Amino acid sequence: MAGGMKGIKQRIKSVRSTMQITKAMELVASSKLRRAKERVERSRPYFEGMAALMNSIGAKGNDSVYLRQRPVKHSLFIVMAGDRGLAGGYNSGAFKLARQAMEGKNALVFAVGRKAVEEYSKEGRGPGAPRLLHTLPEIAGVQTASDLDELASLALQYYTDGEADEVYVVYTRFLNSLHQKPTLQKLLPLAGAQDGEEGPGELTIYDPSPGAVFDAVIPEYVKGILFGAACESFASEQGARRTAMESANDNAKEMIETLSLHYNRARQSAITQEITEIVAGANASRGE
């Protein structure tokens, strides 16, 4: 019985030690989440407006290479995931969506975030597996749109050189601290606004022409969309980790309560057994 009590006590100590770690991680994630959420709220209107503007310009009879549909031989996917684990289903959700989108395609991959780099760097993936071309292992290090200059330039180069016929970005959209949504967005070629759809450029005159302005602005557009996706992904990672660590803390508390109950029962049983043995010994000594 004493051995069982000792084992239970060691388990309680181990769970409490783990809970201290998960509690600290929850507090860190909460602190990062506040700043990340503010950055998402500041950046989202600008990049949504830029996307609407580019679609509007693209609808003005523009014959840009960035609008031209062509047979798809290779598809480029920019996949954004977290730098660390312990974030619930955050990383697996993005990878699952990317896997579904890549199915049946000759996929090329730019991996952003350590977990994305690990996922697409695995050896022995076999024929037909996505081919990793470029990595950016620290999504937390993306603080400004300029940090994505190289990534955006490479994506545009692959598209204009014909090595990729379409470009997608896979990221996790931040809805709130409890909910995040894996999202697939097509970057190139742009579809342009639909007939009858108005955009922010409807009353704008472009000089020298809408096509020239479109081609000049497209690098900033791609870089901006990627930065917006990086902001969303980082905020989503912190939200998912905070939720996961909060759940881990609750589970640890429940486990400690259960183990404490088992420990008290074992202790009470041991005390009862000792009292019984003492009484039996006393009775035996009196010859009863």
Side-chain angles (χ1 to χ4, degrees), residues 47-64:
F47 297 116
E48 288 178 349
M50 176 178 281
L53 176 62
M54 295 301 288
N55 286 331
S56 176
I57 300 176
K60 293 180 176 293
N62 192 348
D63 191 33
S64 169

Side-chain angles (χ1 to χ4, degrees), residues 149 156 168 228 237 240 246 275:
D149 279 344
L156 286 169
Y168 294 90
E237 180 185 3
E246 183 180 21
I275 293 174

Side-chain angles (χ1 to χ4, degrees), residues 6-275:
K6 183 177 180 181
I8 295 174
K9 201 168 185 178
Q10 288 177 341
R11 287 188 63 190
I12 292 175
K13 183 178 179 181
S14 176
V15 172
R16 280 180 175 158
S17 177
T18 302
M19 190 170 69
Q20 288 179 346
I21 297 173
T22 57
K23 186 63 178 177
M25 293 182 67
E26 180 188 351
L27 293 174
V28 171
S30 296
S31 176
K32 290 182 177 180
L33 176 60
R34 284 193 294 270
R35 296 193 296 271
K37 183 179 178 181
E38 291 173 358
R39 188 168 67 163
V40 167
E41 291 173 346
R42 289 196 304 267
S43 65
R44 190 177 286 171
Y46 170 76
F47 297 116
E48 288 178 349
M50 176 178 281
L53 176 62
M54 295 301 288
N55 286 331
S56 176
I57 300 176
K60 293 180 176 293
N62 192 348
D63 191 33
S64 169
V65 65
Y66 301 112
L67 290 166
R68 205 172 301 147
Q69 301 290 331
R70 61 197 189 201
V72 178
K73 298 179 181 178
H74 293 88
S75 302
L76 174 61
F77 290 84
I78 302 172
V79 183
M80 297 187 176
D83 292 331
R84 296 174 180 82
L86 298 176
Y90 165 73
N91 291 309
S92 60
F95 295 147
K96 180 180 179 181
L97 177 62
R99 192 159 49 246
Q100 292 173 346
M102 294 176 188
E103 189 173 353
K105 296 184 177 182
N106 293 320
L108 311 173
V109 176
F110 288 0
V112 182
R114 288 182 186 175
K115 289 299 177 180
V117 174
E118 291 175 6
E119 174 70 14
Y120 295 102
S121 297
K122 294 176 182 176
E123 296 181 1
R125 297 185 62 89
R131 182 155 56 97
L132 180 63
L133 299 177
H134 182 71
T135 63
L136 182 63
E138 288 282 350
I139 196 170
V142 178
Q143 299 297 326
T144 65
S146 298
D147 295 326
L148 293 166
D149 279 344
E150 182 181 3
L151 188 72
S153 297
L154 279 174
L156 286 169
Q157 181 179 342
Y158 269 86
Y159 182 78
T160 54
D161 290 349
E163 296 183 55
D165 301 299
E166 56 183 2
V167 181
Y168 294 90
V169 57
V170 178
Y171 67 100
T172 306
R173 185 173 177 83
F174 180 78
L175 303 179
N176 54 55
S177 58
L178 296 177
H179 299 94
Q180 303 84 34
K181 181 182 179 182
T183 302
L184 174 72
Q185 181 174 346
K186 189 172 186 178
L187 281 180
L188 298 170
L190 275 75
Q194 301 298 319
D195 292 339
E197 180 182 345
E198 294 187 359
E202 284 295 317
L203 302 178
T204 305
I205 298 175
Y206 299 98
D207 185 30
S209 67
V213 173
F214 185 90
D215 288 346
V217 177
I218 197 74
E220 290 300 320
Y221 162 76
V222 171
K223 183 169 63 177
I225 294 299
L226 292 179
F227 179 65
C231 292
E232 298 271 357
S233 293
F234 183 71
S236 296
E237 180 185 3
Q238 303 311 315
R241 181 169 294 112
R242 190 197 69 80
T243 301
M245 293 301 99
E246 183 180 21
S247 178
N249 289 332
D250 293 341
N251 291 337
K253 290 177 183 177
E254 184 178 346
M255 187 178 296
I256 288 173
E257 290 176 359
T258 302
L259 290 171
S260 298
L261 180 61
H262 290 327
Y263 177 81
N264 292 332
R265 285 177 177 173
R267 182 169 177 270
Q268 184 64 44
S269 178
I271 292 172
T272 302
Q273 183 176 348
E274 289 177 4
I275 293 174

